[in-house]
């Protein structure tokens, strides 16, 4: 079983809605990530948090707003999304935010924008 | 430039057959890390194995084995006596040491969809 838990598992939202995806890990990891995965494609990195500070934003549109309230929690706030934003959103964590650290993924949140 | 190639898009086998998933990578770094992940239809990316560029020892874990060949830049994955539960998309990924670390920049291959039929 994964030690990175994500909620909700499925989310359907309208283009004018505001919703949030939540992620939690209790492995003592100090790096947390959001990835986006479209159907039949590999995951793409969106954001990296290192010690609760945003360290990488891969040119993600501002309608996606990440937040890291503490070392165990990571949120992704969603507002005014487009249908093309429908995808699987994967949260992940690793001991540190540097290469060589194994990244562990959660089960993902399936997002549909209507 | 860094790149991971999984030439096999889909593989279909019958249960109990052995199957090898191919992965070829490109990197200019002398220190790098290679990973295999499994993604069943539920969506979760499950970590399977990590290999460091300076550790060419191959590994067997139950029905799984990995063959890391630096000379050919390959990191292949074999399932022995496949089972229906092995059906999933398998991703090979590369992380380079780079300048100050890659910070989560896993470079994924496009994935190989494995279907194991009873």
């Amino acid at each position: 079983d994964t030690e990175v838990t994500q909620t909700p598992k499925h989310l359907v939202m309208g283009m004018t809605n505001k919703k949030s995806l939540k992620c939690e890990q209790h492995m003592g990891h100090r790096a947390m990530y959001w990835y986006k995965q479209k159907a039949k494609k590999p995951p793409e990195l969106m954001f990296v948090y290192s010690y609760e500070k945003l360290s990488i934003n891969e040119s993600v549109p501002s309608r996606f707003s990440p937040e890291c309230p503490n070392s165990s929690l990571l949120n992704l706030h969603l507002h005014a999304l487009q249908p093309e934003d429908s995808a699987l959103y994967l949260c992940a964590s690793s001991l540190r935010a540097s290469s060589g650290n194994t990244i562990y993924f959660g089960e993902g949140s399936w997002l549909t924008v209507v | 430039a860094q790149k991971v190639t999984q030439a096999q898009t889909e593989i279909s086998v019958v249960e109990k057959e052995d199957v090898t998933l191919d992965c070829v990578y490109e990197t200019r770094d002398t220190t790098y890390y290679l990973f295999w992940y499994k993604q069943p239809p539920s969506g979760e990316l499950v970590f399977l194995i990590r290999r460091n560029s300076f550790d060419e020892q191959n590994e067997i874990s139950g029905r799984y084995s990995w063959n890391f060949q630096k000379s050919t830049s390959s990191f292949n994955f074999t399932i022995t006596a496949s089972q229906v539960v092995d059906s999933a998309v398998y991703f090979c990924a590369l992380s380079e040491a780079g300048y100050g670390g890659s910070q989560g920049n896993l470079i994924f291959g496009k994935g190989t969809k494995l279907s194991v039929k009873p």
Side-chain angles (χ1 to χ4, degrees):
Chain A
D1 288 341
T2 182
E3 294 187 67
V4 179
T5 56
Q6 291 187 240
T7 55
K9 180 84 172 155
H10 297 274
L11 177 64
V12 178
M13 61 184 290
M15 289 189 284
T16 57
N17 291 161
K18 280 187 183 181
K19 296 286 185 184
S20 298
L21 304 180
K22 296 184 184 301
C23 175
E24 189 169 6
Q25 58 88 13
H26 292 289
M27 294 183 281
H29 289 176
R30 302 313 299 270
M32 295 188 77
Y33 312 80
W34 281 113
Y35 282 78
K36 174 182 177 179
Q37 186 178 20
K38 300 284 281 185
K40 299 186 188 299
K41 298 286 186 185
E44 295 178 346
L45 182 65
M46 299 175 73
F47 302 103
V48 180
Y49 272 84
S50 178
Y51 290 87
E52 297 96 71
K53 290 191 180 351
L54 183 64
S55 63
I56 291 183
N57 175 340
E58 292 285 353
S59 303
V60 179
S62 59
R63 56 186 185 269
F64 295 93
S65 175
E67 177 197 19
C68 189
N70 59 53
S71 60
S72 300
L73 295 174
L74 185 66
N75 299 322
L76 186 63
H77 302 300
L78 314 170
H79 174 54
L81 296 192
Q82 303 297 311
E84 58 265 28
D85 296 321
S86 298
L88 176 66
Y89 288 84
L90 291 158
C91 176
S93 70
S94 63
L95 190 61
R96 300 288 183 268
S98 57
S99 65
N101 283 274
T102 299
I103 296 177
Y104 297 92
F105 290 83
E107 293 183 345
S109 292
W110 295 89
L111 173 68
T112 303
V113 182
V114 297
Chain B
Q2 62 272 35
K3 187 179 176 183
V4 175
T5 302
Q6 294 179 254
Q8 304 149 309
T9 306
E10 292 194 40
I11 300 176
S12 183
V13 299
V14 177
E15 212 169 15
K16 296 198 175 81
E17 282 185 24
D18 298 347
V19 57
T20 295
L21 308 182
D22 298 332
C23 174
V24 174
Y25 60 93
E26 293 176 31
T27 178
R28 292 180 184 172
D29 274 13
T30 54
T31 301
Y32 51 89
Y33 307 88
L34 294 163
F35 303 83
W36 275 99
Y37 286 90
K38 172 184 177 180
Q39 189 172 41
S42 60
E44 180 189 357
L45 264 175
V46 179
F47 164 70
L48 296 176
I49 192 171
R50 164 188 141 175
R51 265 293 166 265
N52 308 327
S53 57
F54 41 86
D55 177 9
E56 289 194 61
Q57 182 180 2
N58 291 315
E59 182 173 330
I60 296 174
S61 175
R63 296 186 298 109
Y64 298 161
S65 62
W66 292 269
N67 188 347
F68 177 33
Q69 294 288 336
K70 218 169 178 178
S71 58
T72 56
S73 297
S74 65
F75 184 43
N76 297 337
F77 170 44
T78 297
I79 303 175
T80 302
S82 59
Q83 299 175 1
V84 173
V85 293
D86 296 327
S87 297
V89 178
Y90 290 82
F91 288 99
C92 181
L94 166 71
S95 176
E96 297 175 317
Y99 299 98
S102 301
Q103 294 197 58
N105 191 17
L106 275 175
I107 301 149
F108 285 93
K110 292 187 176 180
T112 297
K113 182 177 180 181
L114 174 64
S115 298
V116 181
K117 302 189 186 308

